[in-house]
Each structure stands twice: as C-alpha cells, then as structure tokens.
PDB file of all heavy atoms in Angstrom:
ATOM      1  N   GLN X  25      97.104  84.339 -16.811  1.00 95.00           N
ATOM      2  CA  GLN X  25      97.807  84.641 -18.090  1.00 95.00           C
ATOM      3  C   GLN X  25      99.254  85.031 -17.748  1.00 95.00           C
ATOM      4  O   GLN X  25      99.468  85.876 -16.865  1.00 95.00           O
ATOM      5  CB  GLN X  25      97.084  85.678 -18.859  1.00 95.00           C
ATOM      6  CG  GLN X  25      95.657  85.312 -19.192  1.00 95.00           C
ATOM      7  CD  GLN X  25      95.604  83.919 -19.761  1.00 95.00           C
ATOM      8  OE1 GLN X  25      96.177  83.610 -20.762  1.00 95.00           O
ATOM      9  NE2 GLN X  25      94.712  83.104 -19.178  1.00 95.00           N
ATOM     10  N   VAL X  26     100.162  84.416 -18.479  1.00 93.00           N
ATOM     11  CA  VAL X  26     101.539  84.723 -18.392  1.00 93.00           C
ATOM     12  C   VAL X  26     101.992  85.231 -19.691  1.00 93.00           C
ATOM     13  O   VAL X  26     101.820  84.615 -20.777  1.00 93.00           O
ATOM     14  CB  VAL X  26     102.364  83.450 -18.045  1.00 93.00           C
ATOM     15  CG1 VAL X  26     103.877  83.712 -17.985  1.00 93.00           C
ATOM     16  CG2 VAL X  26     101.915  82.871 -16.716  1.00 93.00           C
ATOM     17  N   PHE X  27     102.560  86.387 -19.699  1.00 92.00           N
ATOM     18  CA  PHE X  27     103.022  87.062 -20.917  1.00 92.00           C
ATOM     19  C   PHE X  27     104.418  86.469 -21.270  1.00 92.00           C
ATOM     20  O   PHE X  27     105.311  86.446 -20.440  1.00 92.00           O
ATOM     21  CB  PHE X  27     103.121  88.536 -20.775  1.00 92.00           C
ATOM     22  CG  PHE X  27     101.867  89.168 -20.314  1.00 92.00           C
ATOM     23  CD1 PHE X  27     101.778  90.226 -19.470  1.00 92.00           C
ATOM     24  CD2 PHE X  27     100.608  88.683 -20.758  1.00 92.00           C
ATOM     25  CE1 PHE X  27     100.598  90.852 -19.031  1.00 92.00           C
ATOM     26  CE2 PHE X  27      99.428  89.230 -20.370  1.00 92.00           C
ATOM     27  CZ  PHE X  27      99.408  90.348 -19.555  1.00 92.00           C
ATOM     28  N   SER X  28     104.597  85.999 -22.521  1.00 87.00           N
ATOM     29  CA  SER X  28     105.776  85.277 -22.865  1.00 87.00           C
ATOM     30  C   SER X  28     106.711  86.118 -23.656  1.00 87.00           C
ATOM     31  O   SER X  28     106.386  87.313 -23.937  1.00 87.00           O
ATOM     32  CB  SER X  28     105.358  84.059 -23.801  1.00 87.00           C
ATOM     33  OG  SER X  28     104.863  84.575 -25.005  1.00 87.00           O
ATOM     34  N   ASP X  29     107.864  85.567 -24.065  1.00 82.00           N
ATOM     35  CA  ASP X  29     108.821  86.248 -24.817  1.00 82.00           C
ATOM     36  C   ASP X  29     108.435  86.386 -26.272  1.00 82.00           C
ATOM     37  O   ASP X  29     109.067  87.108 -27.036  1.00 82.00           O
ATOM     38  CB  ASP X  29     110.152  85.493 -24.746  1.00 82.00           C
ATOM     39  CG  ASP X  29     110.747  85.504 -23.343  1.00 82.00           C
ATOM     40  OD1 ASP X  29     110.492  86.487 -22.630  1.00 82.00           O
ATOM     41  OD2 ASP X  29     111.592  84.583 -23.033  1.00 82.00           O
ATOM     42  N   HIS X  30     107.316  85.739 -26.613  1.00 88.00           N
ATOM     43  CA  HIS X  30     106.814  85.793 -27.971  1.00 88.00           C
ATOM     44  C   HIS X  30     105.359  86.400 -27.993  1.00 88.00           C
ATOM     45  O   HIS X  30     104.454  85.661 -28.115  1.00 88.00           O
ATOM     46  CB  HIS X  30     106.760  84.361 -28.641  1.00 88.00           C
ATOM     47  CG  HIS X  30     108.150  83.758 -28.573  1.00 88.00           C
ATOM     48  ND1 HIS X  30     109.173  84.126 -29.424  1.00 88.00           N
ATOM     49  CD2 HIS X  30     108.583  82.733 -27.833  1.00 88.00           C
ATOM     50  CE1 HIS X  30     110.254  83.270 -29.146  1.00 88.00           C
ATOM     51  NE2 HIS X  30     109.899  82.409 -28.138  1.00 88.00           N
ATOM     52  N   PRO X  31     105.324  87.677 -27.738  1.00 94.00           N
ATOM     53  CA  PRO X  31     104.016  88.283 -27.531  1.00 94.00           C
ATOM     54  C   PRO X  31     103.227  88.425 -28.818  1.00 94.00           C
ATOM     55  O   PRO X  31     103.774  88.430 -29.891  1.00 94.00           O
ATOM     56  CB  PRO X  31     104.396  89.720 -27.004  1.00 94.00           C
ATOM     57  CG  PRO X  31     105.733  90.009 -27.610  1.00 94.00           C
ATOM     58  CD  PRO X  31     106.432  88.675 -27.675  1.00 94.00           C
ATOM     59  N   ILE X  32     101.918  88.458 -28.630  1.00 95.00           N
ATOM     60  CA  ILE X  32     101.089  88.742 -29.730  1.00 95.00           C
ATOM     61  C   ILE X  32     100.780  90.270 -29.818  1.00 95.00           C
ATOM     62  O   ILE X  32     101.029  90.959 -28.765  1.00 95.00           O
ATOM     63  CB  ILE X  32      99.752  87.857 -29.691  1.00 95.00           C
ATOM     64  CG1 ILE X  32      99.005  88.277 -28.391  1.00 95.00           C
ATOM     65  CG2 ILE X  32     100.080  86.458 -29.729  1.00 95.00           C
ATOM     66  CD1 ILE X  32      97.628  87.631 -28.319  1.00 95.00           C
ATOM     67  N   SER X  33     100.199  90.791 -30.842  1.00 96.00           N
ATOM     68  CA  SER X  33      99.886  92.203 -30.854  1.00 96.00           C
ATOM     69  C   SER X  33      98.808  92.519 -29.910  1.00 96.00           C
ATOM     70  O   SER X  33      98.024  91.686 -29.411  1.00 96.00           O
ATOM     71  CB  SER X  33      99.457  92.507 -32.315  1.00 96.00           C
ATOM     72  OG  SER X  33      98.158  92.018 -32.581  1.00 96.00           O
ATOM     73  N   GLU X  34      98.765  93.848 -29.610  1.00 96.00           N
ATOM     74  CA  GLU X  34      97.734  94.399 -28.727  1.00 96.00           C
ATOM     75  C   GLU X  34      96.316  94.024 -29.356  1.00 96.00           C
ATOM     76  O   GLU X  34      95.445  93.668 -28.627  1.00 96.00           O
ATOM     77  CB  GLU X  34      97.852  95.877 -28.539  1.00 96.00           C
ATOM     78  CG  GLU X  34      96.774  96.486 -27.722  1.00 96.00           C
ATOM     79  CD  GLU X  34      96.972  98.020 -27.603  1.00 96.00           C
ATOM     80  OE1 GLU X  34      98.076  98.524 -27.928  1.00 96.00           O
ATOM     81  OE2 GLU X  34      95.992  98.661 -27.252  1.00 96.00           O
ATOM     82  N   GLU X  35      96.204  94.254 -30.619  1.00 97.00           N
ATOM     83  CA  GLU X  35      94.887  94.043 -31.373  1.00 97.00           C
ATOM     84  C   GLU X  35      94.476  92.503 -31.122  1.00 97.00           C
ATOM     85  O   GLU X  35      93.318  92.209 -30.937  1.00 97.00           O
ATOM     86  CB  GLU X  35      94.955  94.437 -32.767  1.00 97.00           C
ATOM     87  CG  GLU X  35      95.231  95.876 -33.041  1.00 97.00           C
ATOM     88  CD  GLU X  35      96.673  96.317 -32.849  1.00 97.00           C
ATOM     89  OE1 GLU X  35      97.521  95.513 -32.811  1.00 97.00           O
ATOM     90  OE2 GLU X  35      96.881  97.556 -32.675  1.00 97.00           O
ATOM     91  N   ALA X  36      95.441  91.632 -31.260  1.00 97.00           N
ATOM     92  CA  ALA X  36      95.120  90.192 -31.179  1.00 97.00           C
ATOM     93  C   ALA X  36      94.709  89.854 -29.754  1.00 97.00           C
ATOM     94  O   ALA X  36      93.837  89.113 -29.542  1.00 97.00           O
ATOM     95  CB  ALA X  36      96.396  89.339 -31.573  1.00 97.00           C
ATOM     96  N   MET X  37      95.365  90.537 -28.722  1.00 97.00           N
ATOM     97  CA  MET X  37      95.018  90.254 -27.321  1.00 97.00           C
ATOM     98  C   MET X  37      93.567  90.758 -27.095  1.00 97.00           C
ATOM     99  O   MET X  37      92.797  90.176 -26.373  1.00 97.00           O
ATOM    100  CB  MET X  37      96.026  90.840 -26.386  1.00 97.00           C
ATOM    101  CG  MET X  37      95.740  90.562 -24.925  1.00 97.00           C
ATOM    102  SD  MET X  37      95.668  88.805 -24.439  1.00 97.00           S
ATOM    103  CE  MET X  37      97.355  88.450 -24.427  1.00 97.00           C
ATOM    104  N   VAL X  38      93.237  91.945 -27.641  1.00 98.00           N
ATOM    105  CA  VAL X  38      91.926  92.445 -27.440  1.00 98.00           C
ATOM    106  C   VAL X  38      90.890  91.507 -28.030  1.00 98.00           C
ATOM    107  O   VAL X  38      89.800  91.274 -27.481  1.00 98.00           O
ATOM    108  CB  VAL X  38      91.772  93.903 -28.119  1.00 98.00           C
ATOM    109  CG1 VAL X  38      90.340  94.339 -28.217  1.00 98.00           C
ATOM    110  CG2 VAL X  38      92.650  94.942 -27.329  1.00 98.00           C
ATOM    111  N   THR X  39      91.196  91.016 -29.211  1.00 98.00           N
ATOM    112  CA  THR X  39      90.314  90.013 -29.822  1.00 98.00           C
ATOM    113  C   THR X  39      90.118  88.823 -29.008  1.00 98.00           C
ATOM    114  O   THR X  39      88.998  88.259 -28.730  1.00 98.00           O
ATOM    115  CB  THR X  39      90.799  89.618 -31.241  1.00 98.00           C
ATOM    116  OG1 THR X  39      90.882  90.784 -32.056  1.00 98.00           O
ATOM    117  CG2 THR X  39      89.951  88.575 -31.901  1.00 98.00           C
ATOM    118  N   ILE X  40      91.232  88.309 -28.487  1.00 98.00           N
ATOM    119  CA  ILE X  40      91.128  87.096 -27.592  1.00 98.00           C
ATOM    120  C   ILE X  40      90.248  87.364 -26.355  1.00 98.00           C
ATOM    121  O   ILE X  40      89.371  86.605 -25.984  1.00 98.00           O
ATOM    122  CB  ILE X  40      92.560  86.648 -27.153  1.00 98.00           C
ATOM    123  CG1 ILE X  40      93.274  86.026 -28.376  1.00 98.00           C
ATOM    124  CG2 ILE X  40      92.502  85.646 -26.017  1.00 98.00           C
ATOM    125  CD1 ILE X  40      94.764  85.835 -28.193  1.00 98.00           C
ATOM    126  N   VAL X  41      90.447  88.492 -25.696  1.00 98.00           N
ATOM    127  CA  VAL X  41      89.716  88.847 -24.520  1.00 98.00           C
ATOM    128  C   VAL X  41      88.230  89.001 -24.861  1.00 98.00           C
ATOM    129  O   VAL X  41      87.358  88.583 -24.179  1.00 98.00           O
ATOM    130  CB  VAL X  41      90.307  90.140 -23.844  1.00 98.00           C
ATOM    131  CG1 VAL X  41      89.383  90.618 -22.723  1.00 98.00           C
ATOM    132  CG2 VAL X  41      91.681  89.856 -23.245  1.00 98.00           C
ATOM    133  N   ASN X  42      87.965  89.664 -26.005  1.00 98.00           N
ATOM    134  CA  ASN X  42      86.559  89.801 -26.430  1.00 98.00           C
ATOM    135  C   ASN X  42      85.944  88.401 -26.701  1.00 98.00           C
ATOM    136  O   ASN X  42      84.790  88.166 -26.411  1.00 98.00           O
ATOM    137  CB  ASN X  42      86.439  90.627 -27.582  1.00 98.00           C
ATOM    138  CG  ASN X  42      86.666  92.123 -27.308  1.00 98.00           C
ATOM    139  OD1 ASN X  42      86.439  92.507 -26.133  1.00 98.00           O
ATOM    140  ND2 ASN X  42      87.026  92.889 -28.271  1.00 98.00           N
ATOM    141  N   ASP X  43      86.718  87.519 -27.221  1.00 98.00           N
ATOM    142  CA  ASP X  43      86.256  86.111 -27.421  1.00 98.00           C
ATOM    143  C   ASP X  43      86.015  85.430 -26.121  1.00 98.00           C
ATOM    144  O   ASP X  43      84.944  84.702 -25.995  1.00 98.00           O
ATOM    145  CB  ASP X  43      87.231  85.300 -28.305  1.00 98.00           C
ATOM    146  CG  ASP X  43      87.299  85.675 -29.767  1.00 98.00           C
ATOM    147  OD1 ASP X  43      86.356  86.414 -30.139  1.00 98.00           O
ATOM    148  OD2 ASP X  43      88.165  85.306 -30.433  1.00 98.00           O
ATOM    149  N   TRP X  44      86.845  85.582 -25.149  1.00 98.00           N
ATOM    150  CA  TRP X  44      86.641  85.016 -23.786  1.00 98.00           C
ATOM    151  C   TRP X  44      85.309  85.607 -23.186  1.00 98.00           C
ATOM    152  O   TRP X  44      84.500  84.833 -22.668  1.00 98.00           O
ATOM    153  CB  TRP X  44      87.759  85.300 -22.879  1.00 98.00           C
ATOM    154  CG  TRP X  44      89.013  84.629 -23.182  1.00 98.00           C
ATOM    155  CD1 TRP X  44      89.236  83.483 -23.890  1.00 98.00           C
ATOM    156  CD2 TRP X  44      90.319  84.973 -22.722  1.00 98.00           C
ATOM    157  NE1 TRP X  44      90.543  83.089 -23.876  1.00 98.00           N
ATOM    158  CE2 TRP X  44      91.233  84.031 -23.209  1.00 98.00           C
ATOM    159  CE3 TRP X  44      90.785  86.093 -21.984  1.00 98.00           C
ATOM    160  CZ2 TRP X  44      92.622  84.096 -22.982  1.00 98.00           C
ATOM    161  CZ3 TRP X  44      92.212  86.184 -21.717  1.00 98.00           C
ATOM    162  CH2 TRP X  44      93.119  85.177 -22.210  1.00 98.00           C
ATOM    163  N   ILE X  45      85.117  86.845 -23.344  1.00 98.00           N
ATOM    164  CA  ILE X  45      83.918  87.488 -22.805  1.00 98.00           C
ATOM    165  C   ILE X  45      82.713  86.809 -23.483  1.00 98.00           C
ATOM    166  O   ILE X  45      81.671  86.512 -22.847  1.00 98.00           O
ATOM    167  CB  ILE X  45      83.964  89.008 -22.958  1.00 98.00           C
ATOM    168  CG1 ILE X  45      84.948  89.587 -22.007  1.00 98.00           C
ATOM    169  CG2 ILE X  45      82.598  89.604 -22.706  1.00 98.00           C
ATOM    170  CD1 ILE X  45      85.226  91.093 -22.117  1.00 98.00           C
ATOM    171  N   SER X  46      82.715  86.717 -24.814  1.00 98.00           N
ATOM    172  CA  SER X  46      81.660  86.183 -25.533  1.00 98.00           C
ATOM    173  C   SER X  46      81.353  84.698 -25.109  1.00 98.00           C
ATOM    174  O   SER X  46      80.216  84.250 -24.995  1.00 98.00           O
ATOM    175  CB  SER X  46      81.872  86.118 -27.061  1.00 98.00           C
ATOM    176  OG  SER X  46      81.939  87.461 -27.599  1.00 98.00           O
ATOM    177  N   PHE X  47      82.419  84.004 -24.844  1.00 98.00           N
ATOM    178  CA  PHE X  47      82.335  82.611 -24.420  1.00 98.00           C
ATOM    179  C   PHE X  47      81.532  82.526 -23.032  1.00 98.00           C
ATOM    180  O   PHE X  47      80.645  81.747 -22.871  1.00 98.00           O
ATOM    181  CB  PHE X  47      83.725  81.900 -24.274  1.00 98.00           C
ATOM    182  CG  PHE X  47      83.689  80.589 -23.624  1.00 98.00           C
ATOM    183  CD1 PHE X  47      83.306  79.507 -24.397  1.00 98.00           C
ATOM    184  CD2 PHE X  47      83.904  80.420 -22.288  1.00 98.00           C
ATOM    185  CE1 PHE X  47      83.253  78.176 -23.804  1.00 98.00           C
ATOM    186  CE2 PHE X  47      83.875  79.144 -21.737  1.00 98.00           C
ATOM    187  CZ  PHE X  47      83.508  78.078 -22.484  1.00 98.00           C
ATOM    188  N   TYR X  48      82.003  83.374 -22.087  1.00 98.00           N
ATOM    189  CA  TYR X  48      81.409  83.389 -20.832  1.00 98.00           C
ATOM    190  C   TYR X  48      79.939  83.889 -20.862  1.00 98.00           C
ATOM    191  O   TYR X  48      79.066  83.259 -20.222  1.00 98.00           O
ATOM    192  CB  TYR X  48      82.133  84.379 -19.894  1.00 98.00           C
ATOM    193  CG  TYR X  48      83.308  83.682 -19.214  1.00 98.00           C
ATOM    194  CD1 TYR X  48      84.525  83.417 -19.839  1.00 98.00           C
ATOM    195  CD2 TYR X  48      83.248  83.202 -17.815  1.00 98.00           C
ATOM    196  CE1 TYR X  48      85.600  82.779 -19.221  1.00 98.00           C
ATOM    197  CE2 TYR X  48      84.259  82.572 -17.170  1.00 98.00           C
ATOM    198  CZ  TYR X  48      85.488  82.352 -17.882  1.00 98.00           C
ATOM    199  OH  TYR X  48      86.484  81.711 -17.316  1.00 98.00           O
ATOM    200  N   ILE X  49      79.594  84.844 -21.727  1.00 98.00           N
ATOM    201  CA  ILE X  49      78.206  85.275 -21.826  1.00 98.00           C
ATOM    202  C   ILE X  49      77.425  84.112 -22.424  1.00 98.00           C
ATOM    203  O   ILE X  49      76.308  83.807 -21.860  1.00 98.00           O
ATOM    204  CB  ILE X  49      78.140  86.554 -22.730  1.00 98.00           C
ATOM    205  CG1 ILE X  49      78.901  87.731 -22.109  1.00 98.00           C
ATOM    206  CG2 ILE X  49      76.707  86.844 -23.111  1.00 98.00           C
ATOM    207  CD1 ILE X  49      78.281  88.204 -20.816  1.00 98.00           C
ATOM    208  N   ASN X  50      77.896  83.508 -23.454  1.00 97.00           N
ATOM    209  CA  ASN X  50      77.101  82.386 -24.041  1.00 97.00           C
ATOM    210  C   ASN X  50      76.910  81.249 -23.070  1.00 97.00           C
ATOM    211  O   ASN X  50      75.855  80.642 -23.043  1.00 97.00           O
ATOM    212  CB  ASN X  50      77.817  81.955 -25.392  1.00 97.00           C
ATOM    213  CG  ASN X  50      77.638  82.957 -26.477  1.00 97.00           C
ATOM    214  OD1 ASN X  50      76.772  83.729 -26.542  1.00 97.00           O
ATOM    215  ND2 ASN X  50      78.653  82.956 -27.374  1.00 97.00           N
ATOM    216  N   TYR X  51      78.044  80.934 -22.343  1.00 97.00           N
ATOM    217  CA  TYR X  51      77.863  79.848 -21.394  1.00 97.00           C
ATOM    218  C   TYR X  51      76.867  80.098 -20.283  1.00 97.00           C
ATOM    219  O   TYR X  51      75.987  79.265 -20.009  1.00 97.00           O
ATOM    220  CB  TYR X  51      79.265  79.517 -20.770  1.00 97.00           C
ATOM    221  CG  TYR X  51      79.225  78.427 -19.710  1.00 97.00           C
ATOM    222  CD1 TYR X  51      79.219  77.082 -20.168  1.00 97.00           C
ATOM    223  CD2 TYR X  51      79.196  78.765 -18.370  1.00 97.00           C
ATOM    224  CE1 TYR X  51      79.116  76.110 -19.203  1.00 97.00           C
ATOM    225  CE2 TYR X  51      79.160  77.697 -17.466  1.00 97.00           C
ATOM    226  CZ  TYR X  51      79.140  76.374 -17.882  1.00 97.00           C
ATOM    227  OH  TYR X  51      79.116  75.342 -16.970  1.00 97.00           O
ATOM    228  N   TYR X  52      76.947  81.314 -19.677  1.00 97.00           N
ATOM    229  CA  TYR X  52      76.075  81.603 -18.559  1.00 97.00           C
ATOM    230  C   TYR X  52      74.675  81.957 -19.064  1.00 97.00           C
ATOM    231  O   TYR X  52      73.723  81.922 -18.233  1.00 97.00           O
ATOM    232  CB  TYR X  52      76.721  82.683 -17.672  1.00 97.00           C
ATOM    233  CG  TYR X  52      77.792  82.088 -16.775  1.00 97.00           C
ATOM    234  CD1 TYR X  52      79.060  82.118 -17.066  1.00 97.00           C
ATOM    235  CD2 TYR X  52      77.331  81.430 -15.625  1.00 97.00           C
ATOM    236  CE1 TYR X  52      80.051  81.522 -16.246  1.00 97.00           C
ATOM    237  CE2 TYR X  52      78.308  80.874 -14.783  1.00 97.00           C
ATOM    238  CZ  TYR X  52      79.624  80.892 -15.094  1.00 97.00           C
ATOM    239  OH  TYR X  52      80.581  80.304 -14.329  1.00 97.00           O
ATOM    240  N   GLU X  53      74.499  82.437 -20.258  1.00 96.00           N
ATOM    241  CA  GLU X  53      73.186  82.776 -20.768  1.00 96.00           C
ATOM    242  C   GLU X  53      72.206  81.570 -20.585  1.00 96.00           C
ATOM    243  O   GLU X  53      71.049  81.794 -20.279  1.00 96.00           O
ATOM    244  CB  GLU X  53      73.306  83.223 -22.195  1.00 96.00           C
ATOM    245  CG  GLU X  53      71.988  83.628 -22.814  1.00 96.00           C
ATOM    246  CD  GLU X  53      72.150  84.025 -24.306  1.00 96.00           C
ATOM    247  OE1 GLU X  53      73.150  83.559 -24.948  1.00 96.00           O
ATOM    248  OE2 GLU X  53      71.311  84.846 -24.770  1.00 96.00           O
ATOM    249  N   LYS X  54      72.665  80.424 -20.837  1.00 94.00           N
ATOM    250  CA  LYS X  54      71.892  79.203 -20.822  1.00 94.00           C
ATOM    251  C   LYS X  54      71.333  78.885 -19.387  1.00 94.00           C
ATOM    252  O   LYS X  54      70.387  78.236 -19.237  1.00 94.00           O
ATOM    253  CB  LYS X  54      72.602  78.051 -21.355  1.00 94.00           C
ATOM    254  CG  LYS X  54      72.896  78.160 -22.780  1.00 94.00           C
ATOM    255  CD  LYS X  54      73.815  77.080 -23.338  1.00 94.00           C
ATOM    256  CE  LYS X  54      74.225  77.141 -24.759  1.00 94.00           C
ATOM    257  NZ  LYS X  54      75.306  78.109 -25.001  1.00 94.00           N
ATOM    258  N   GLN X  55      72.070  79.473 -18.401  1.00 96.00           N
ATOM    259  CA  GLN X  55      71.769  79.109 -17.024  1.00 96.00           C
ATOM    260  C   GLN X  55      70.899  80.322 -16.306  1.00 96.00           C
ATOM    261  O   GLN X  55      70.489  80.059 -15.141  1.00 96.00           O
ATOM    262  CB  GLN X  55      73.035  79.008 -16.241  1.00 96.00           C
ATOM    263  CG  GLN X  55      73.881  77.780 -16.780  1.00 96.00           C
ATOM    264  CD  GLN X  55      75.206  77.659 -16.073  1.00 96.00           C
ATOM    265  OE1 GLN X  55      75.255  77.613 -14.863  1.00 96.00           O
ATOM    266  NE2 GLN X  55      76.254  77.622 -16.849  1.00 96.00           N
ATOM    267  N   MET X  56      70.761  81.423 -16.944  1.00 96.00           N
ATOM    268  CA  MET X  56      70.005  82.524 -16.323  1.00 96.00           C
ATOM    269  C   MET X  56      68.526  82.132 -16.226  1.00 96.00           C
ATOM    270  O   MET X  56      68.022  81.383 -17.058  1.00 96.00           O
ATOM    271  CB  MET X  56      70.131  83.777 -17.254  1.00 96.00           C
ATOM    272  CG  MET X  56      71.467  84.390 -17.301  1.00 96.00           C
ATOM    273  SD  MET X  56      72.021  85.067 -15.766  1.00 96.00           S
ATOM    274  CE  MET X  56      73.695  85.535 -16.059  1.00 96.00           C
ATOM    275  N   THR X  57      67.948  82.563 -15.201  1.00 95.00           N
ATOM    276  CA  THR X  57      66.486  82.382 -14.938  1.00 95.00           C
ATOM    277  C   THR X  57      65.655  83.533 -14.937  1.00 95.00           C
ATOM    278  O   THR X  57      66.205  84.692 -15.088  1.00 95.00           O
ATOM    279  CB  THR X  57      66.401  81.678 -13.487  1.00 95.00           C
ATOM    280  OG1 THR X  57      66.810  82.606 -12.546  1.00 95.00           O
ATOM    281  CG2 THR X  57      67.183  80.382 -13.411  1.00 95.00           C
ATOM    282  N   GLY X  58      64.366  83.351 -14.909  1.00 94.00           N
ATOM    283  CA  GLY X  58      63.466  84.436 -14.866  1.00 94.00           C
ATOM    284  C   GLY X  58      62.867  84.694 -16.331  1.00 94.00           C
ATOM    285  O   GLY X  58      63.144  83.983 -17.225  1.00 94.00           O
ATOM    286  N   GLU X  59      62.066  85.800 -16.316  1.00 94.00           N
ATOM    287  CA  GLU X  59      61.476  86.194 -17.571  1.00 94.00           C
ATOM    288  C   GLU X  59      62.528  86.749 -18.536  1.00 94.00           C
ATOM    289  O   GLU X  59      63.674  87.068 -18.079  1.00 94.00           O
ATOM    290  CB  GLU X  59      60.399  87.178 -17.397  1.00 94.00           C
ATOM    291  CG  GLU X  59      59.205  86.621 -16.574  1.00 94.00           C
ATOM    292  CD  GLU X  59      58.065  87.670 -16.318  1.00 94.00           C
ATOM    293  OE1 GLU X  59      58.168  88.744 -17.002  1.00 94.00           O
ATOM    294  OE2 GLU X  59      57.266  87.407 -15.430  1.00 94.00           O
ATOM    295  N   GLN X  60      62.202  86.864 -19.793  1.00 94.00           N
ATOM    296  CA  GLN X  60      63.152  87.392 -20.831  1.00 94.00           C
ATOM    297  C   GLN X  60      63.849  88.715 -20.375  1.00 94.00           C
ATOM    298  O   GLN X  60      65.039  88.796 -20.506  1.00 94.00           O
ATOM    299  CB  GLN X  60      62.419  87.624 -22.143  1.00 94.00           C
ATOM    300  CG  GLN X  60      63.272  88.156 -23.291  1.00 94.00           C
ATOM    301  CD  GLN X  60      63.828  87.026 -24.074  1.00 94.00           C
ATOM    302  OE1 GLN X  60      63.485  85.866 -23.977  1.00 94.00           O
ATOM    303  NE2 GLN X  60      64.891  87.307 -24.839  1.00 94.00           N
ATOM    304  N   GLN X  61      63.043  89.639 -19.867  1.00 95.00           N
ATOM    305  CA  GLN X  61      63.589  90.930 -19.462  1.00 95.00           C
ATOM    306  C   GLN X  61      64.648  90.779 -18.331  1.00 95.00           C
ATOM    307  O   GLN X  61      65.678  91.408 -18.339  1.00 95.00           O
ATOM    308  CB  GLN X  61      62.490  91.840 -19.086  1.00 95.00           C
ATOM    309  CG  GLN X  61      62.968  93.272 -18.818  1.00 95.00           C
ATOM    310  CD  GLN X  61      61.854  94.254 -18.483  1.00 95.00           C
ATOM    311  OE1 GLN X  61      60.674  93.744 -18.388  1.00 95.00           O
ATOM    312  NE2 GLN X  61      62.144  95.532 -18.287  1.00 95.00           N
ATOM    313  N   GLU X  62      64.295  89.870 -17.340  1.00 94.00           N
ATOM    314  CA  GLU X  62      65.171  89.604 -16.322  1.00 94.00           C
ATOM    315  C   GLU X  62      66.497  89.007 -16.817  1.00 94.00           C
ATOM    316  O   GLU X  62      67.583  89.422 -16.351  1.00 94.00           O
ATOM    317  CB  GLU X  62      64.484  88.730 -15.311  1.00 94.00           C
ATOM    318  CG  GLU X  62      65.394  87.886 -14.366  1.00 94.00           C
ATOM    319  CD  GLU X  62      66.127  88.720 -13.320  1.00 94.00           C
ATOM    320  OE1 GLU X  62      65.700  89.767 -12.978  1.00 94.00           O
ATOM    321  OE2 GLU X  62      67.288  88.353 -12.952  1.00 94.00           O
ATOM    322  N   GLN X  63      66.417  88.082 -17.644  1.00 95.00           N
ATOM    323  CA  GLN X  63      67.581  87.441 -18.157  1.00 95.00           C
ATOM    324  C   GLN X  63      68.470  88.406 -18.962  1.00 95.00           C
ATOM    325  O   GLN X  63      69.705  88.406 -18.816  1.00 95.00           O
ATOM    326  CB  GLN X  63      67.202  86.251 -19.151  1.00 95.00           C
ATOM    327  CG  GLN X  63      66.596  85.123 -18.375  1.00 95.00           C
ATOM    328  CD  GLN X  63      66.210  83.970 -19.292  1.00 95.00           C
ATOM    329  OE1 GLN X  63      66.742  83.745 -20.348  1.00 95.00           O
ATOM    330  NE2 GLN X  63      65.223  83.167 -18.817  1.00 95.00           N
ATOM    331  N   GLU X  64      67.827  89.266 -19.839  1.00 95.00           N
ATOM    332  CA  GLU X  64      68.589  90.281 -20.563  1.00 95.00           C
ATOM    333  C   GLU X  64      69.299  91.200 -19.650  1.00 95.00           C
ATOM    334  O   GLU X  64      70.376  91.611 -19.947  1.00 95.00           O
ATOM    335  CB  GLU X  64      67.610  90.998 -21.581  1.00 95.00           C
ATOM    336  CG  GLU X  64      67.243  90.067 -22.658  1.00 95.00           C
ATOM    337  CD  GLU X  64      66.129  90.680 -23.582  1.00 95.00           C
ATOM    338  OE1 GLU X  64      65.679  91.870 -23.292  1.00 95.00           O
ATOM    339  OE2 GLU X  64      65.651  90.031 -24.539  1.00 95.00           O
TER     340      GLU X  64
END
C-alpha cells in the first residue's frame, strides 16, 4: 500500500482493512480441513 496525496479518512481505511480481513477469512475458510471444531 502506498499512501497518496489524496488520502481517505481513518475510518474508511479501517473499513477497507476489515473488508480485506473478511475476504481472506472467507477465501481460506473453504480450504480448511478437519472436523468443524478444528476448522473453527
């Protein structure tokens, strides 16, 4: 990530990072193995 001369608000960046985290969790969730408890 490169911070530009046209920054977004701190709140917007937090939202973006949380969206990225959700994306990664959803993507990798499908690949987890084992029983339900292990996956969780």
Side-chain angles (χ1 to χ4, degrees):
Q25 301 311 304
V26 176
F27 305 143
S28 71
D29 293 336
H30 305 286
I32 61 173
S33 70
E34 177 183 342
E35 295 80 15
M37 183 59 80
V38 169
T39 299
I40 290 169
V41 171
N42 286 337
D43 287 347
W44 289 339
I45 290 172
S46 293
F47 173 81
Y48 274 78
I49 294 296
N50 289 331
Y51 178 79
Y52 281 97
E53 179 179 26
K54 296 173 181 80
Q55 300 176 52
M56 294 291 174
T57 60
E59 296 180 13
Q60 179 89 18
Q61 186 178 6
E62 159 67 27
Q63 292 179 26
E64 289 172 1

